[in-house]
Amino acid sequence: PKEIFLKDYTKPDYYFETVDLSFSLGEEKTIVSSLIKVSPRVKGSSAPLVLNGHDLKLLSVKVEGKLLKEGDYKLDSRHLTLPSLPAKESFVLEIDTEIYPHKNTSLDGLYKSSGNFCTQCEAEGFRKITFYQDRPDIMAKYTCRVEADKSLYPVLLSNGNLISQGDIEGGRHFALWEDPFKKPCYLFALVAGQLASRDDTFTTRSGREVSLKIWTPAEDLPKTAHAMYSLKAAMKWDEDVFGLEYDLDLFNIVAVPDFNMGAMENKSLNIFNSKLVLASPETATDADYAAILGVIGHEYFHNWTGNRVTCRDWFQLSLKEGLTVFRDQEFSSDMGSRTVKRIADVSKLRIYQFPQDAGPMAHPVRPHSYIKMDNFYTGNIVFQSNGAEVVRMYKTLLGSEGFRKGIDLYFQRHDEQAVTCEDFFAAMRDANNADFANFLQWYSQAGTPVVKVASSYNAEARTFSLKFSQEIPPTPGQPTKEATFIPVVVGLLDSNGKDITLSSVYHDGTLQTISSSSTILRVTKKEEEFVFSDIAERPVPSLFRGFSAPVRVETDLSDDDLFFLLAHDSDEFNRWEAGQVLARKLMLNLVSDFQQNRPLALNPKFIQGLGSVLSDSTLDKEFIAKAITLPGEGEIMDMMAVADPDAVHAVRKFVRKQLASELKTELLKIVENNRSTEAYVFDHPNMARRALKNTALAYLTSLEDPSYVELALSEYKSATNLTDQFAALAALAQNPGKTRDDVLADFYNKWQGDYLVVNKWFLLQSSSDIPGNVENVKKLLDHPAFDLRNPNKAILCLQTTIIQVYSLIGGFCGSPVNFHAKDGSGYKFLGDIVVQLDKINPQVASRMVSAFSRWKRYDETRQALAKAQLEMIMSANGLSENVFEIASKSLA
Ligand code: HT7
Ligand code: ZN
């Protein structure tokens, strides 16, 4: 497979001005006709026109109405090349192709989902529809005529405005769509099927009435109310916060059960994985409701950040994704609790992004090369979290107003253009006359910077000094790194726990006056010192407030300092962070005790510290739930020289049980005081209440005390919504035994008709850390609701493969103790699945194979076992480029 490099970017030789597409959809085949107005970049160019095409049957090519004969063009398995073209300012190219959507299990290009046609073109799926210059800097105005059997496909949708529709002979009908805005082909979309819509309207601030439609099978319509609420909230928020208004009269969302990712921002026709649209209190949890809000917002926000202004090439992915993820994070913060959202986002960064940045797939925010672009869409539902952090740093440095000025200038300069990350940087800089020093390094260097901070207080001089040193570990292809620009938001606490009003800070020969309780230190060199003056007593520094830069921080703060911050910091994020740092330190020490067969004992101060957070009624309840949740096993393993899944698992379980046992009275009170019999409401106070109650319940149930098991069973039975019911189920499922088996069976019986709920049931079991879970997961593969091993059935019923694969296999890899079972059974299980799955869906298979990518972090036995699986995968026949890229880079 060919590697593509950013440094090789060249402008296209030909631009496409207009594209008229016509689809004749059929059960056995679909005919796609395209008519493109082409104009050479340089007048009189004699360059060949190279079009991408994959799995297409070429029917005919015409240039200026003249049919080309076989010798007039070159066709290989990936390209159609037209060597000689008219030396005119523009000419018309017409291409007819035949494709087979019903056989397309890759869910890339045009495929069928539950009998309906739908498309996914990002990143490079359009080339599976027709021959085209499939690159985002080809921006054209499109029309799309869709024709299909009327009874099978009564609804025909595409981008833009509906121009005309009508019946044609043979029981067929058509719809003609026109998109008035230029777009790259990855934003093209088509949907045809039996769908009903929930309709609403939104009036923009300039008075445009936009018709909003959410399309699903008719029986699911009642479950789209929250999605519609989310869409309207997002439209309003984008006007209020970014001054961005919707630009067409119609906005469609379609929910499909079969989708490789969360959703897709196609112009005016967003396509969603059903799990991110459908919600009712009985079938969706608070987490689902929150994800729907965030992802509906995310896709809508792309209308400006991604669609109106798009990427010049795929290396610039962060230009749209980093910015749009940042925007959806801000949206969700404004709709709920800012601190809690920040904690959740930073946790995700630590779980998904930091480990990736330390492994063989590490790449900068703007990668230098790729084999398969799809492999760069990593993370969970939301990827590019590092890119979002980079955008957040602009805002931290410029303040809200300065950031908004930068955004305004960006749109003023680049509307309807395909641009680069430098263009965004330049807009931010120019709009504010800002000095961003070496900030651009964030785009080009891979790896998570490690920042060490040493503090010292000089009582005589009344100064407090912070010395920073930064280092970015080597990553593949980048053995050495330059210093980068790290904004450090700092506050200093006095002995009462109050913020000291900072008056001035001395740095690099200059004294800067401040007069506020926190300030931003601009750390731009490998080593740098900042000295605060007029500090009356030794303060406790609160560093990187709000997680002001995506770095790993190592400080010289004592445990007492950290307990002090946990109890007093005015920055809530840093209160949580102090608890996490303490927990990580303490767990790492216990891991070493465990490895050396020393008895485990939990520091009583830690229990006390968490205990006081637990009973602090002034704190937000969801914040408390987060504060008493221990760092995950992956996070602890990430800090070890050789990751030891068994030790980390045993220690985390031990700490949880100790906490539960010592704090049981408070935990029980929390469960009892936070029940509600009221109807389900999705708002922050209610979600926070449920989160706290269910976290407490899980702690108590972990004790395996019959009275708490009874309590969890009664919570399970009396629950009036899925959030509470599923939380009680999960609490009970921690402990192997009959109660677990019975309650899991009961839940399946209740929900077997709802595949989204059944997928949660799969996920709960596959990600379970109960001993020997590999065997249970294998059994689940035989469950009637699971279909991976029958590709024919899979084609008919894709949802049972794709979503369930995520639930079952993805969940399994997320349970370190079972995936890394020392006998290699977890690795073998995944290896076999990857080879099988790669034939059905390479994008999903490559995401699964990434679970092996950090195999070198484990002991020799595990290394050998994982390596053997990677080698086995590499030797499989007909391996996809997607899996090849991950497996080969992992082995390198
Ligand atoms: N921009 C969208 C990315 C996406 C995608 C990428 C590769 C393969 C399949 C895909 N489905 C959607 C999604 C987003 O930004 O949320
Ligand atoms: Zn996106």
Side-chain angles (χ1 to χ4, degrees):
K2 194 167 157 238
E3 191 158 6
I4 297 163
F5 293 88
L6 167 62
K7 65 177 169 44
D8 294 341
Y9 174 84
T10 51
K11 286 185 183 166
D13 289 317
Y14 292 91
Y15 288 112
F16 291 174
E17 289 173 30
T18 57
V19 178
D20 299 311
L21 295 171
S22 172
F23 287 78
S24 177
L25 301 172
E27 294 313 286
E28 292 305 315
K29 62 183 186 200
T30 284
I31 308 290
V32 185
S33 308
S34 74
L35 187 149
I36 307 172
K37 187 172 167 203
V38 185
S39 57
R41 182 167 53 82
V42 181
K43 214 172 133 196
S45 165
S46 61
L49 173 58
V50 183
L51 304 173
N52 307 96
H54 190 180
D55 287 342
L56 304 172
K57 180 171 167 192
L58 179 66
L59 299 180
S60 65
V61 197
K62 286 183 196 163
V63 174
E64 291 285 72
K66 190 168 160 271
L67 188 67
L68 300 195
K69 296 192 291 299
E70 255 180 41
D72 298 339
Y73 56 81
K74 226 175 82 203
L75 186 64
D76 65 32
S77 65
R78 297 291 160 104
H79 305 100
L80 170 64
T81 307
L82 307 179
S84 52
L85 292 160
K88 293 171 81 175
E89 238 166 59
S90 69
F91 58 87
V92 173
L93 172 66
E94 288 167 87
I95 301 177
D96 284 0
T97 51
E98 192 171 289
I99 51 175
Y100 314 98
H102 61 291
K103 291 188 186 162
N104 180 358
T105 59
S106 70
L107 313 191
D108 194 28
L110 179 65
Y111 63 95
K112 291 196 86 175
S113 174
S114 295
N116 296 331
F117 285 94
C118 72
T119 53
Q120 169 57 37
C121 295
E122 187 174 0
E124 296 177 334
F126 195 73
R127 63 187 63 184
K128 292 184 168 179
I129 293 176
T130 182
F131 290 98
Y132 199 81
Q133 293 194 93
D134 190 355
R135 45 188 286 174
D137 55 355
I138 296 295
M139 294 181 81
K141 287 193 179 168
Y142 283 63
T143 66
C144 178
R145 184 183 185 279
V146 191
E147 179 194 313
D149 182 279
K150 190 173 180 178
S151 59
L152 293 174
Y153 311 101
V155 175
L156 304 174
L157 305 173
S158 190
N159 315 92
N161 302 315
L162 181 62
I163 300 299
S164 60
Q165 60 185 328
D167 292 344
I168 42 184
E169 71 275 9
R172 291 171 73 80
H173 72 150
F174 79 96
L176 177 63
W177 292 83
E178 181 182 38
D179 185 350
F181 292 100
K182 284 204 292 184
K183 66 167 177 283
C185 65
Y186 82 83
L187 291 174
F188 169 78
L190 175 159
V191 171
Q194 311 236 15
L195 297 160
S197 64
R198 172 185 288 271
D199 297 353
D200 209 326
T201 58
F202 178 85
T203 307
T204 69
R205 61 180 186 168
S206 69
R208 177 199 289 275
E209 188 170 292
V210 184
S211 155
L212 310 175
K213 289 177 184 287
I214 300 185
W215 299 89
T216 66
E219 65 272 19
D220 287 333
L221 275 188
K223 292 188 188 163
T224 57
H226 176 64
M228 185 61 89
Y229 156 80
S230 304
L231 175 61
K232 292 170 81 172
M235 295 178 88
K236 173 86 173 70
W237 183 88
D238 216 13
E239 291 187 350
D240 293 347
V241 177
F242 279 88
L244 296 172
E245 192 175 320
Y246 188 61
D247 52 6
L248 286 168
D249 299 333
L250 174 62
F251 189 81
N252 283 310
I253 287 178
V254 181
V256 297
D258 313 306
F259 203 73
N260 273 350
M261 298 245 196
M264 179 63 210
E265 69 264 24
N266 317 299
K267 183 77 189 184
S268 76
L269 177 52
N270 287 188
I271 300 181
F272 274 67
N273 190 322
S274 310
K275 72 175 180 193
L276 288 165
V277 172
L278 305 180
S280 70
E282 302 74 37
T283 59
T285 62
D286 284 339
D288 297 322
Y289 272 78
I292 290 171
L293 179 78
V295 181
I296 294 253
H298 180 96
E299 306 311 330
Y300 173 75
F301 301 143
H302 266 312
N303 188 53
W304 280 94
T305 49
N307 299 8
R308 285 288 285 258
V309 181
T310 197
C311 303
R312 185 195 71 175
D313 53 72
W314 287 121
F315 296 102
Q316 318 298 329
L317 183 67
S318 177
L319 176 87
K320 74 176 179 84
E321 293 304 340
L323 178 53
T324 308
V325 170
F326 168 78
R327 275 152 55 69
D328 84 52
Q329 290 176 348
E330 286 297 288
F331 169 58
S332 295
S333 295
D334 287 346
M335 302 293 289
S337 149
R338 182 157 285 270
T339 306
V340 167
K341 176 68 179 145
R342 189 70 187 129
I343 291 171
D345 292 336
V346 172
S347 300
K348 265 187 227 153
L349 196 74
R350 289 190 172 134
I351 295 168
Y352 299 108
Q353 186 78 51
F354 285 6
Q356 190 196 59
D357 290 347
M361 286 303 290
H363 59 83
V365 164
R366 179 167 53 188
H368 299 293
S369 74
Y370 61 81
I371 291 177
K372 201 67 195 158
M373 189 53 213
D374 307 330
N375 284 334
F376 284 85
Y377 295 83
T378 49
N380 196 4
I381 287 176
V382 166
F383 35 81
Q384 276 287 332
S385 38
N386 235 8
E389 291 300 317
V390 172
V391 174
R392 185 173 295 280
M393 285 190 286
Y394 286 110
K395 184 167 175 212
T396 302
L397 289 165
L398 299 171
S400 297
E401 259 179 51
F403 182 71
R404 176 62 197 275
K405 274 198 220 159
I407 289 283
D408 291 350
L409 184 61
Y410 174 65
F411 288 116
Q412 219 172 295
R413 285 182 175 172
H414 301 298
D415 192 14
E416 289 200 82
Q417 292 175 12
V419 303
T420 65
C421 296
E422 272 92 3
D423 293 318
F424 185 78
F425 172 87
M428 286 290 154
R429 181 196 56 204
D430 299 349
N432 293 282
N433 242 328
D435 168 14
F436 281 125
N438 45 348
F439 189 86
L440 276 175
Q441 296 286 7
W442 281 107
Y443 290 100
S444 54
Q445 293 190 137
T448 310
V450 178
V451 180
K452 293 193 176 134
V453 196
S455 59
S456 62
Y457 178 64
N458 183 333
E460 236 172 79
R462 292 164 56 98
T463 56
F464 181 70
S465 140
L466 288 172
K467 276 192 189 150
F468 294 86
S469 64
Q470 55 163 299
E471 204 179 291
I472 310 180
T475 47
Q478 286 189 332
T480 55
K481 311 283 167 94
E482 298 296 316
T484 186
F485 184 163
I486 300 177
V488 185
V489 178
V490 177
L492 303 180
L493 275 65
D494 67 17
S495 50
N496 296 317
K498 296 275 170 280
D499 279 332
I500 296 173
T501 303
L502 306 170
S503 56
S504 57
V505 64
Y506 182 79
H507 166 246
D508 237 3
T510 51
L511 190 72
Q512 189 203 333
T513 41
I514 307 173
S515 177
S516 68
S517 59
S518 81
T519 189
I520 306 171
L521 305 178
R522 296 163 52 102
V523 175
T524 59
K525 301 192 194 108
K526 288 229 163 159
E527 296 199 340
E528 220 156 353
E529 183 178 15
F530 296 80
V531 182
F532 293 91
S533 34
D534 211 13
I535 306 294
E537 56 178 334
R538 182 197 170 265
V540 177
S542 167
L543 301 161
F544 290 92
R545 282 187 157 172
F547 199 70
S548 60
V551 298
R552 293 182 198 259
V553 187
E554 292 174 16
T555 70
D556 58 1
L557 294 185
S558 66
D559 284 1
D560 283 346
D561 291 336
L562 290 165
F563 281 119
F564 189 75
L565 290 171
L566 173 65
H568 301 290
D569 202 329
S570 64
D571 185 77
E572 272 199 356
F573 175 87
N574 265 6
R575 279 186 84 169
W576 170 81
E577 182 74 329
Q580 294 290 300
V581 176
L582 280 163
R584 287 198 289 261
K585 269 172 99 173
L586 168 146
M587 285 163 78
L588 276 173
N589 288 336
L590 288 171
V591 164
S592 120
D593 290 342
F594 180 90
Q595 287 171 326
Q596 286 161 54
N597 286 324
R598 287 193 294 256
L600 302 184
L602 188 58
N603 180 354
K605 273 190 167 175
F606 183 70
I607 303 171
Q608 240 175 47
L610 289 199
S612 27
V613 172
L614 203 54
S615 29
D616 185 342
S617 58
T618 63
L619 287 171
D620 179 279
K621 288 182 178 175
E622 200 170 355
F623 173 83
I624 301 177
K626 299 262 185 231
I628 61 167
T629 300
L630 298 171
E633 293 176 15
E635 237 180 288
I636 304 300
M637 286 200 287
D638 222 24
M639 298 173 77
M640 299 173 70
V642 178
D644 182 342
D646 298 324
V648 172
H649 178 66
V651 162
R652 192 170 188 277
K653 250 193 137 78
F654 165 78
V655 178
R656 262 176 71 77
K657 281 198 169 189
Q658 283 296 111
L659 285 172
S661 161
E662 297 292 330
L663 299 171
K664 57 184 173 225
T665 316
E666 293 84 344
L667 291 166
L668 188 59
K669 229 191 269 164
I670 282 178
V671 175
E672 281 165 354
N673 294 344
N674 286 286
R675 288 194 191 98
S676 164
T677 46
E678 309 274 298
Y680 175 88
V681 181
F682 172 77
D683 62 8
H684 182 68
N686 278 293
M687 277 173 63
R689 176 182 56 73
R690 287 187 286 266
L692 182 57
K693 173 185 74 96
N694 292 327
T695 307
L697 183 68
Y699 264 111
L700 289 171
T701 318
S702 75
L703 290 173
E704 297 182 66
D705 176 314
S707 64
Y708 298 135
V709 171
E710 232 1 88
L711 172 73
L713 265 176
S714 119
E715 294 296 315
Y716 172 80
K717 286 182 192 143
S718 62
T720 56
N721 57 70
L722 191 70
T723 307
D724 288 331
Q725 187 177 55
F726 198 75
L729 174 72
L732 289 161
Q734 294 176 87
N735 310 322
K738 186 167 170 349
T739 313
R740 177 186 202 266
D741 298 345
D742 289 351
V743 75
L744 279 168
D746 179 77
F747 189 84
Y748 179 75
N749 284 340
K750 201 172 269 148
W751 293 112
Q752 54 185 303
D754 189 315
Y755 71 93
L756 290 176
V757 184
V758 170
N759 284 326
K760 289 182 198 303
W761 177 82
F762 273 132
L763 179 62
L764 179 64
Q765 294 172 82
S766 64
S767 58
S768 167
D769 58 12
I770 62 166
N773 201 36
V774 182
E775 287 311 311
N776 294 334
V777 178
K778 280 188 190 158
K779 271 192 220 135
L780 285 174
L781 283 177
D782 285 330
H783 194 278
F786 197 88
D787 266 320
L788 169 74
R789 288 154 313 115
N790 184 343
N792 292 327
K793 197 160 177 204
I795 291 166
L796 295 174
C797 197
L798 283 170
Q799 86 236 12
T800 51
T801 65
I802 307 310
I803 302 179
Q804 290 179 352
V805 164
Y806 280 138
S807 303
L808 200 65
I809 322 296
F812 175 69
C813 302
S815 152
V817 72
N818 283 306
F819 175 56
H820 298 289
K822 203 139 190 177
D823 61 359
S825 52
Y827 297 156
K828 167 133 187 25
F829 172 71
L830 183 67
D832 291 346
I833 296 270
V834 165
V835 172
Q836 247 180 299
L837 187 58
D838 193 32
K839 305 207 181 326
I840 303 173
N841 190 313
Q843 283 184 15
V844 177
S846 81
R847 240 163 281 148
M848 297 299 148
V849 86
S850 351
F852 283 122
S853 67
R854 298 198 71 207
W855 61 280
K856 289 180 187 155
R857 301 263 309 111
Y858 297 85
D859 57 79
E860 278 176 17
T861 315
R862 288 186 170 96
Q863 283 193 21
L865 292 164
K867 187 170 178 234
Q869 288 305 316
L870 280 168
E871 285 167 348
M872 182 278 289
I873 291 169
M874 283 293 286
S875 68
N877 276 340
L879 195 68
S880 68
E881 287 176 329
N882 301 57
V883 171
F884 172 86
E885 179 168 26
I886 309 273
S888 61
K889 286 186 175 167
S890 301
L891 280 170

